[in-house]
Amino acid sequence: MTIDAIKNGIVIDHIKAGRAMEIYEALGLADLDCSVAIIKNVVSKKSARKDIIKIDADIPVNLAVLGYIDPDITINIIKDGRVAEKKHIELPKKIYGILRCKNPRCITTVEQELPQIFKLTDPEKRTYRCIYCESKVK
Amino acid sequence: MRSLIDILELSVEEIDELIATANGIMADPHKYSEKCSGKKLATLFFEPSTRTRLSFEAAMYELGGHVIGFSSANNSSASKGESVADTAKTVSCYADIIAMRHPKEGAPLVAAMNASVPVINAGDGGHNHPTQTLADLITIFKEKGRFNDLTIGFCGDLKFGRTVHSLIQALSRYNNIKFILISPEELRLPDYIIRDTLEKKELKYIETTSLETAMPELDVLYMTRVQRERFFSEEEYLRLKDSYILDTDKLSNAKKDLCIMHPLPRVNEISVSVDDDPRACYFKQVLYGKYMRMALIMKLLGV
């Protein structure tokens, strides 16, 4: 199967197999006008199977979202058909506006305009907690 | 400008300093009687409380300051739908420091993020209650003379008991503390405190359902009330409320210098007959709490 190489854009590589759609949704790629290719179950050298997303435009990517979903992802910025930059992702220390606290006792459940902020409390277990009530993200 | 939302925001050294200040006030209250002259404390209590609110108010009056505020959400703009952030910004224009109690977890943090004066968390739902922890810590220190090498029993509602959670976290920073966690199965200490505090710091702890078995080993017994307001179901509350009642019989095999504590109010979990026992420290705990709040107000106001 062949997918055209992109000239200027972004390749999100080494996505754990099966998680490409989650990233597609989280980054809001459905709203883009440019071509976006989702390639699933590619045989990889690093891991048995991986997904890849190719975006045919140089858009700003929310690294915090990617880091939360899968910190093993790599991002290749393509310029003039070549890899101009490779970015490795880390677990973000804080996540803004992506998750919602589900604790019914949390202040955010009654004041819904409050910014939803989660902090990384255990990098090993990738545990995030609401900054207000400290409930763990499930 | 600094606030106090969670007890762990205070270092062990800062807690020692507050205890030293509180001891100083107890020794010579007159010396501190004008420390907050001209300052105003706003007590914003969105949930009913007798002890904590009066303790804050008494603390401020004894420091020579003034108090403004409200004692239930119905008497505040919250009943008109005002946000916590707006309330905090508004009250910052009137007061030099805020003490806030709110039924929703995290509300005092929201206030601190928006206020231009220090905010003290006076209890947010089942989450944090750092000034109660300060009262608990000074009581242990005054009665036992140390924080290290103690066996401390927590009994009753360990699931929703915010005072228990905060005190365990605060004590976890001292050496050779053993925790005995006595509760019905349904009201066990939450897993995240066991995992993230006790196990992570490799602290000794035992979970049991028997107060009698644990009693002989204890240096401190921290009793708690099963709180009706933390339950969504009345049936569940009624089933668990009388799980543990401390009476003189149960104390028969306790240490002679046991320190019995309770954050109060009690309902029936400590029999009134225990009040005359010299080991009952829960009313002293109330008094110490006021002095710790005085010390904290001074610290946050920088006076």
Side-chain angles (χ1 to χ4, degrees):
Chain A
M1 180 185 169
T2 55
I3 304 271
D4 288 346
I6 52 179
K7 202 156 188 209
N8 290 300
I10 298 163
V11 176
I12 305 173
D13 200 357
H14 299 114
I15 303 168
K16 218 165 271 152
R19 302 202 80 168
M21 279 314 288
E22 198 179 333
I23 288 169
Y24 183 84
E25 301 281 343
L27 292 179
L29 299 181
D31 301 333
L32 296 178
D33 292 332
C34 63
S35 312
V36 176
I38 298 172
I39 312 161
K40 299 188 75 169
N41 283 326
V42 180
V43 178
S44 152
K45 286 175 199 162
K46 264 190 178 176
S47 57
R49 295 270 173 180
K50 66 176 183 180
D51 291 356
I52 301 171
I53 296 176
K54 292 187 173 190
I55 306 164
D56 197 13
D58 191 5
I59 56 150
V61 172
N62 187 338
L63 296 180
V65 176
L66 293 181
Y68 172 68
I69 297 173
D70 185 352
D72 298 327
I73 284 171
T74 49
I75 294 180
N76 299 317
I77 310 289
I78 312 293
K79 284 199 173 136
D80 298 325
R82 292 166 176 241
V83 178
E85 194 184 346
K86 228 181 213 326
K87 287 183 183 168
H88 291 277
I89 305 209
E90 288 177 351
L91 277 179
K93 299 262 185 298
K94 280 192 177 166
I95 302 176
Y96 297 83
I98 301 159
L99 308 163
R100 281 205 79 82
C101 183
K102 296 203 171 96
N103 172 11
R105 296 179 171 90
C106 181
I107 184 68
T108 57
T109 59
V110 285
E111 295 200 3
Q112 298 188 352
E113 286 178 12
L114 282 171
Q116 293 273 348
I117 309 172
F118 289 78
K119 61 183 175 190
L120 178 64
T121 54
D122 187 343
E124 262 176 45
K125 291 184 182 149
R126 296 182 185 178
T127 305
Y128 283 88
R129 291 186 185 279
C130 169
I131 64 157
Y132 304 103
C133 68
E134 296 179 278
S135 290
K136 193 174 159 184
V137 178
K138 285 180 185 153
Chain B
M1 200 260 313
R2 186 174 171 189
S3 292
L4 178 65
I5 304 302
D6 182 332
I7 190 69
L8 295 180
E9 292 164 10
L10 291 171
S11 67
V12 169
E13 291 74 24
E14 285 177 310
I15 287 173
D16 290 346
E17 262 173 50
L18 289 173
I19 291 176
T21 307
N23 274 325
I25 300 170
M26 280 184 251
D28 186 1
H30 186 70
K31 194 175 140 192
Y32 295 84
S33 62
E34 296 297 326
K35 282 277 182 193
C36 289
S37 175
K39 303 277 186 194
K40 287 192 289 288
L41 163 74
T43 50
L44 311 184
F45 277 61
F46 293 82
E47 189 180 56
S49 149
T50 309
R51 209 162 329 277
T52 308
R53 186 171 58 83
L54 295 187
S55 178
F56 268 111
E57 295 186 358
M60 194 56 174
Y61 283 127
E62 288 185 32
L63 290 168
H66 298 278
V67 179
I68 54 175
F70 52 83
S71 56
S72 89
N74 296 337
N75 301 334
S76 79
S77 290
S79 62
K80 299 176 191 162
E82 186 176 55
S83 68
V84 169
D86 283 3
T87 304
K89 284 177 190 162
T90 305
V91 174
S92 297
C93 301
Y94 306 139
D96 300 284
I97 186 165
I98 293 170
M100 176 187 278
R101 166 164 294 188
H102 200 286
K104 288 291 178 186
E105 299 175 6
L109 175 63
V110 174
M113 289 161 79
N114 289 280
S116 53
V117 298
V119 175
I120 302 173
N121 180 359
D124 57 338
H127 186 216
N128 280 319
H129 193 358
T131 59
Q132 178 63 49
T133 309
L134 290 176
D136 299 341
L137 288 169
I138 191 173
T139 306
I140 293 173
F141 192 77
K142 294 286 279 183
E143 298 302 313
K144 307 308 295 180
R146 64 187 192 279
F147 286 125
N148 299 322
D149 308 313
L150 290 170
T151 297
I152 303 182
F154 288 90
C155 179
D157 175 6
L158 309 190
K159 183 178 180 184
F160 297 115
R162 60 187 167 197
T163 59
V164 171
H165 303 170
S166 298
L167 185 55
I168 288 176
Q169 284 169 335
L171 288 169
S172 70
R173 301 187 289 185
Y174 298 95
N175 296 323
N176 198 24
I177 299 262
K178 180 178 175 183
F179 296 100
I180 302 192
L181 310 169
I182 309 148
S183 73
E185 190 58 35
E186 295 88 340
L187 296 176
R188 283 179 56 228
L189 193 69
D191 280 346
Y192 75 89
I193 297 181
I194 292 185
R195 212 177 33 247
D196 298 349
T197 302
L198 301 179
E199 289 180 352
K200 201 170 184 177
K201 295 185 177 177
E202 297 179 355
L203 297 167
K204 286 179 269 183
Y205 74 94
I206 294 171
E207 289 186 282
T208 174
T209 53
S210 168
L211 175 58
E212 288 86 342
T213 318
M215 191 65 87
E217 213 185 323
L218 302 177
D219 297 306
V220 174
L221 171 58
Y222 195 98
M223 295 293 295
T224 63
R225 172 172 63 100
V226 175
Q227 300 173 84
R228 182 192 293 263
E229 60 269 31
R230 304 287 168 236
F231 286 84
F232 287 125
S233 138
E234 179 74 4
E235 266 173 33
E236 205 180 344
Y237 164 71
L238 292 173
R239 188 167 62 80
L240 295 169
K241 77 180 177 66
D242 292 335
S243 298
Y244 298 98
I245 295 175
L246 181 68
D247 54 26
T248 45
D249 280 351
K250 288 205 181 84
L251 282 171
S252 59
N253 61 349
K255 285 186 182 171
K256 294 273 178 283
D257 62 347
L258 171 71
C259 167
I260 305 167
M261 296 169 63
H262 190 301
L264 302 180
R266 83 175 140 183
V267 179
N268 61 346
E269 58 279 3
I270 300 181
S271 157
V272 177
S273 61
V274 176
D275 295 0
D276 294 331
D277 191 301
R279 293 171 288 189
C281 297
Y282 29 92
F283 289 110
K284 281 195 244 178
Q285 200 178 339
V286 175
L287 182 65
Y288 295 146
K290 180 188 71 179
Y291 290 117
M292 278 305 253
R293 288 185 178 100
M294 290 171 77
L296 178 66
I297 290 170
M298 283 168 52
K299 181 181 172 66
L300 296 183
L301 285 176
V303 296

